[in-house]
Amino acid sequence: MKTMTCNQLGGACDKEFHANTFDEIEKMRKNHGMEMFQKGDEPHLNAMNKMRDLMTTPDAMNKWFESKRKEFDALPENE
Ligand SMILES: [Zn+2]
């Protein structure tokens, strides 16, 4: 298992996600983001807007995901 926080994944809080693969953690981040979006949590809404500005092209989006995937891969395994 590896751990990344909401902040590390382009979010806006210290919530930790634990997963074995990047795809899993990305799914958790997405669910958490949706939850916060529905609550109208302002820091998360701002973070989402920032992400949207970053991801204007599929290429930019891929690059972001690849950099996060590398970050995830470089993390040490939790016992
Ligand atoms: Zn969060």
Side-chain angles (χ1 to χ4, degrees):
M1 294 282 263
K2 296 184 179 192
T3 304
M4 276 181 105
T5 64
C6 181
N7 272 326
Q8 283 177 299
L9 292 160
C13 71
D14 289 331
K15 185 178 170 62
E16 292 183 343
F17 306 109
H18 310 278
N20 288 312
T21 66
F22 178 76
D23 291 336
E24 254 177 88
I25 218 161
E26 163 57 17
K27 226 175 269 171
M28 290 177 191
R29 178 202 67 85
K30 211 183 268 173
N31 287 340
H32 167 68
M34 294 259 279
E35 205 184 306
M36 288 297 148
F37 178 78
Q38 275 158 11
K39 279 186 189 163
D41 183 80
E42 208 169 305
H44 284 84
L45 292 181
N46 288 337
M48 273 175 221
N49 283 334
K50 236 184 262 174
M51 288 267 281
R52 205 173 303 151
D53 289 345
L54 271 176
M55 296 181 179
T56 46
T57 64
D59 191 51
M61 204 163 131
N62 283 337
K63 272 193 190 134
W64 188 88
F65 275 107
E66 274 320 302
S67 77
K68 289 300 163 188
R69 192 186 294 274
K70 272 184 199 141
E71 217 175 300
F72 180 84
D73 287 342
L75 288 174
E77 295 271 348
N78 298 335
E79 290 303 323

